[in-house]
Amino acid sequence: MPIEKKATLLIKNIGQLLTMAGPAPRIGGSMNHLSLVENGGIAVAGEEILAVGKSDQVEGHTELAEGCTVIDARGQVVTPGFIDPHTHPVFSKTREKEFEMRVQGKSYMEIAQSGGGIRSSVRDLRETPKGILEEKTRGRLDRLLSYGTTTIEAKSGYGLSTESEIKQLEIIRDLNLVHPLELVPTFLGAHEVPDEYRDKRNEYIDLIINEMLPAVTKDGLAEFSDIFCEKGVFDIEESRRIQQAALDAGLKLKFHADELESTGGGELAASMDAVSADHLVYISDAGIRAMADAGTAAVLLPGTTFSLGGKQYAPARSMIEAGVPVALSTDCNPGSSYTESLPIVISLAALQMKMTAAEAISAVTVNAAYALDRHDRIGRLTEGFQADIAVWDMTDYRELPYHYGVNLASKVVKKGKVVVSR
Amino acid sequence: MPIEKKATLLIKNIGQLLTMAGPAPRIGGSMNHLSLVENGGIAVAGEEILAVGKSDQVEGHTELAEGCTVIDARGQVVTPGFIDPHTHPVFSKTREKEFEMRVQGKSYMEIAQSGGGIRSSVRDLRETPKGILEEKTRGRLDRLLSYGTTTIEAKSGYGLSTESEIKQLEIIRDLNLVHPLELVPTFLGAHEVPDEYRDKRNEYIDLIINEMLPAVTKDGLAEFSDIFCEKGVFDIEESRRIQQAALDAGLKLKFHADELESTGGGELAASMDAVSADHLVYISDAGIRAMADAGTAAVLLPGTTFSLGGKQYAPARSMIEAGVPVALSTDCNPGSSYTESLPIVISLAALQMKMTAAEAISAVTVNAAYALDRHDRIGRLTEGFQADIAVWDMTDYRELPYHYGVNLASKVVKKGKVVVSR
């Protein structure tokens, strides 16, 4: 006979339990299906979800282990722990001066050309000792967790040399081992051409392909390869070449695509079976169709448009209607979007991209898991899934976009352990 | 000889101390003057500021009382406690369903006409027992405090009957007595014409003048009188009549003005020597000139435009350049702007109204105090002023707008006592 599992954590009397059970990814109208249980309950055994349903049924059918943690979530909302599928969290220097320059009328490109932008974060990353970078990144992970996020994707891309790209990925690996937040590592050597290769960009591309990719895949330092595919950064042909090499090296693909102009990045991502294409403010209709056909996730970053003072947001409604799996992310980074809060991104998605609360919640749970190729393990609260759970101090899930700019996460559970409690 | 005061609280080694010393209000370029002290210190005796300056000088010249609290604010920013000069915090029911309707394309006016809007909060306020209203409001005050705010203006205006307007003002009075947050009470009986007076609006105006105003002034329940002066609510002549009666009853004046259309509300406020006119999205150039000449504070509410999904924000730059004293506020209310965070309002002021970080900080400290007629006591950190202080977890004050949607207040001091500590 199998050993019966006993509950080590029980959350009961949940006002609204959003299990998100159902297909992954959610597309079109299915993004509105939250599998909402009123007066719900969840039992957890160790790191895994044991049972989900009506509170009294879950309680009635579950044996509690000695010392089981019991949370009464009366009048509260429970969701899967949020998943943030696009962040650049490893940096030391913040760039508030550039933000103020933008407020005073300078463009992102002007600031970049005057030595700001990604290249200033590259100088910072290269110069700063690993210990300091780790400490500062840890503060951001703490804050991400406190806003209900339990898994993030974390990119390199401020090193742009083999040594310093590895330095970033090692920090991500090490923090993943010691921090409750789960980090999914992405290699982004093709974030920009570094200053020392300005006049010989092909040599930099060769360096990525021949030296960096073997180095970052050797010890499993990266799971994904990403590229800034944009006019003035890496064009379509360069992007195809680098990402094909990444695929050959065993990495899965992501793309920064169509952020500033429509360049065919969405189409390229779809044609290469990328797991996601991100940004997509200026994606073409053909790009949307290609992504829908390929099942490529669209990771939308309205916080970036907001924080850059932009007027045009990614066409979320067109994508949802066309059947693209839409996810949302903070894009947490020091240049264009410095926030650790997915709730403010949900507010922006509602107000600027007309996504309903249900669509936005789908986009930071089941669809964000899909955008990280982890939808068989996280992003939904069903039996056997990892027990990553957020408890929200609100009676109706629609308060998430509505009650903006504040933190309503009252408890956060990662792998069955309560890691935030307020 | 006078008794020497001893410090009961010392904040030392402050990375950037923004004392805001200087003229009140700040107008034009003077809004950029923060009186920033690097490596600053503040000594507090009881509820009052004893000394402000360089950390070592303050320490050297201050005798510490027994049990004095000492805070080391190395690498942090210190500002006056923020002041939020326009809130509607007393309500029970949140209105997230209306928010979602707006996301799906309904206008504010359509929602109001279908029974939503202010009138739904009026039903809620009248039906809900005082104890529940008090408990829910208290949660909001806690949250306001946790985001660095130490004083708010709090309006009635969801009662619209003598009894229920008093009920709201009594809740404000009672919470002010027991909660660390300081509440400045404003009577807003002229927020809307209640349903039972729809066909006899003049009788409602008479009720305000002849019954409500005497009732709310008798026991000092209100300090200000406010009115929603807007097409479809109270017109210019009605507003003049009601506010003149309020003046005669001893109240100071505020106006909801020019929010949805330019109706001359700003001009009326200036002509009646109002302390502030608020919203002002559609204020005319003549209105701006009149407010500058009269020294009427403009309380701008970019969170409201944001949360209503609007495109047009108040013309902050024109006002600053014309010499209007500009303040900022959350407009915290269940309909058009549900947030307790002035930091997110500062981000919106920067991104949508092109206010610098310094201008925005002036607008929530010295100028917000001016908009509440309390600039001789709060909003600046100078000797003899009330010890209302916020400590921010950032090395540069410009991080306030830049690092958006999160809470960076690490300590909040009200009347010399540490009331929030993280």
Side-chain angles (χ1 to χ4, degrees), chain A residues 29-110:
Chain A
S30 80
M31 287 187 77
N32 279 311
H33 298 160
L34 303 169
S35 296
L36 193 156
V37 183
E38 291 189 344
N39 197 20
I42 308 177
V44 172
E47 299 190 357
E48 266 186 21
I49 292 171
L50 193 59
V52 180
K54 285 282 184 190
S55 188
D56 50 359
Q57 288 172 358
V58 169
E59 268 201 275
H61 289 84
T62 306
E63 202 180 333
L64 304 191
E66 218 183 289
C68 174
T69 303
V70 178
I71 295 172
D72 191 316
R74 201 177 299 267
Q76 295 194 296
V77 171
V78 165
T79 66
F82 283 177
I83 298 165
D84 194 340
H86 183 132
T87 84
H88 307 253
V90 185
F91 59 91
S92 166
K93 280 210 184 91
T94 51
R95 283 158 46 192
E96 58 275 1
K97 284 169 201 168
E98 293 179 21
F99 180 92
E100 182 113 322
M101 285 169 75
R102 283 202 303 275
V103 166
Q104 294 176 314
K106 303 275 185 216
S107 75
Y108 184 72
M109 277 303 177
E110 281 176 298

Side-chain angles (χ1 to χ4, degrees), chain A residues 32 91 93-97 99-100 102-105 143 147 302-304 306-311 313 330 333-341 344-345 347-352 354-358 393 395-399 401-408, chain B residues 32 91 93-97 99-100 102-105 143 147 302-304 306-311 313 330 333-341 344-345 347-352 354-358 393 395-399 401-408:
Chain A
N32 279 311
F91 59 91
K93 280 210 184 91
T94 51
R95 283 158 46 192
E96 58 275 1
K97 284 169 201 168
F99 180 92
E100 182 113 322
R102 283 202 303 275
V103 166
Q104 294 176 314
R143 196 167 287 123
Y147 279 81
T304 311
F306 173 71
S307 185
L308 290 175
K311 300 279 179 235
Y313 286 79
T330 59
N333 81 80
S336 56
S337 178
Y338 193 19
T339 188
E340 292 93 347
S341 166
I344 189 67
V345 171
S347 293
L348 289 163
L351 290 166
Q352 304 293 354
K354 306 302 174 198
M355 289 175 70
T356 63
D393 196 9
T395 55
D396 186 305
Y397 71 87
R398 285 169 289 199
E399 191 168 336
Y402 156 75
H403 195 168
Y404 68 96
V406 293
N407 190 359
L408 300 168
Chain B
N32 279 311
F91 59 92
K93 279 209 186 93
T94 52
R95 283 158 47 194
E96 57 275 2
K97 283 167 201 167
F99 181 91
E100 182 112 322
R102 283 203 303 275
V103 166
Q104 293 176 315
R143 197 168 285 124
Y147 279 80
T304 311
F306 172 71
S307 185
L308 290 174
K311 299 278 179 235
Y313 285 78
T330 60
N333 81 79
S336 55
S337 178
Y338 193 16
T339 188
E340 292 92 346
S341 166
I344 189 67
V345 171
S347 294
L348 288 163
L351 290 166
Q352 303 293 356
K354 307 301 174 197
M355 289 174 69
T356 63
D393 196 9
T395 55
D396 186 306
Y397 70 89
R398 283 169 289 199
E399 190 166 338
Y402 156 75
H403 196 168
Y404 68 96
V406 294
N407 190 359
L408 300 168

Side-chain angles (χ1 to χ4, degrees), chain B residues 345-386:
Chain B
V345 171
I346 289 172
S347 294
L348 288 163
L351 290 166
Q352 303 293 356
M353 307 196 305
K354 307 301 174 197
M355 289 174 69
T356 63
E359 288 168 344
I361 292 170
S362 296
V364 296
T365 56
V366 55
N367 280 7
Y370 179 77
L372 294 182
D373 195 23
R374 273 164 170 66
H375 48 294
D376 59 345
R377 186 162 64 78
I378 55 174
R380 287 173 286 175
L381 299 175
T382 56
E383 206 186 312
F385 267 51
Q386 189 166 291

Side-chain angles (χ1 to χ4, degrees), chain B residues 254-275:
Chain B
K254 290 180 164 288
F255 286 77
H256 281 58
D258 301 319
E259 179 184 0
L260 308 170
E261 287 185 30
S262 184
T263 62
E267 290 91 324
L268 177 63
S271 77
M272 297 189 77
D273 273 330
V275 174

Side-chain angles (χ1 to χ4, degrees), chain A residues 279-317:
Chain A
H279 285 293
L280 304 171
V281 176
Y282 293 96
I283 189 170
S284 67
D285 290 345
I288 292 176
R289 281 194 303 277
M291 287 182 66
D293 290 345
T296 303
V299 177
L300 306 185
L301 310 165
T304 311
T305 304
F306 173 71
S307 185
L308 290 175
K311 300 279 179 235
Q312 173 135 3
Y313 286 79
R317 288 246 62 82

